[in-house]
Amino acid sequence: MPSDPSSPRGPNENGVSSGAAGHTATFEDLQAKIADDVTATKEAVKHGSDTAMQKVQETVAEQTGFAARQVTGIATALQKVGAELENGEQAEVGRYARQIGASLQAIAKDMEGKDIGALAGMAEDFGRKQPLAFLGAAALAGLTASRFLTASAKRKALSETDPTARSSGRKAGSQDLTEGSIDG
């Protein structure tokens, strides 16, 4: 076998030099390939996270609009209750309820089109400026949430025990009022 003067060990059986120069070129190629792969992976992750963030922001914007509509409904209800109470025997309570309703109405208008960070700042500012209204709204939201969860749990339990209740639109054990008995 002829020997390669540049290789300290000479060529291998395939005629390829196994010296340091051959390993260096391969190692540098491998480093470049790894660097390219890392860069491509970083770009893919960045693009994926950007897409996910955009979807989250779109969802938050939709939910913000929904929340604004819900707050508007609560505000309208409070204003109506306040007006009724003012005309009745509890004028002072009615006045407070109407003021809370008016404040919530203004907040609902401000909520539309805001991102989640801006909404958190608005809630904080509202809590500082109108602590009574904030506490009232928080209590009302808590009451509404608990009633919703309780009703949902009852509906779920009912549908699991009586599959005909969902299809007939009636509660299990309820009877038509024309039959002379009331659900108990």
Side-chain angles (χ1 to χ4, degrees), residues 11-166:
N12 63 14
E13 58 271 356
N14 296 329
V16 177
S17 174
S18 62
H23 286 296
T24 304
T26 305
F27 182 69
E28 289 172 355
D29 290 342
L30 185 59
Q31 278 183 325
K33 177 72 172 142
I34 290 172
D36 290 343
D37 288 349
V38 167
T39 302
T41 302
K42 283 180 181 178
E43 289 175 6
V45 167
K46 184 177 184 326
H47 176 56
S49 67
D50 289 346
T51 301
M53 260 325 254
Q54 184 180 7
K55 295 245 186 241
V56 166
Q57 289 172 345
E58 289 171 2
T59 301
V60 167
E62 290 172 9
Q63 294 301 318
T64 301
F66 176 75
R69 289 188 300 275
Q70 295 299 325
V71 171
T72 299
I74 292 169
T76 302
L78 277 171
Q79 288 175 328
K80 286 180 182 179
V81 166
E84 288 179 22
L85 288 173
E86 275 187 309
N87 292 333
E89 295 178 12
Q90 298 178 343
E92 190 69 22
V93 174
R95 187 170 56 84
Y96 285 131
R98 271 191 334 104
Q99 287 175 349
I100 291 170
S103 295
L104 285 176
Q105 193 82 345
I107 288 170
K109 287 179 183 174
D110 289 343
M111 282 175 64
E112 293 179 15
K114 302 278 187 211
D115 67 352
I116 195 76
L119 288 178
M122 287 174 56
E124 188 177 322
D125 289 343
F126 179 67
R128 281 193 203 114
K129 292 177 184 175
Q130 300 282 338
L132 180 64
F134 183 78
L135 289 175
L140 187 59
L143 177 64
T144 303
S146 70
R147 291 184 56 96
F148 173 76
L149 292 173
T150 303
S152 295
K154 286 180 182 176
R155 269 195 306 272
K156 184 177 180 184
L158 179 64
S159 67
E160 290 174 355
T161 58
D162 185 7
T164 61
R166 187 183 318 157

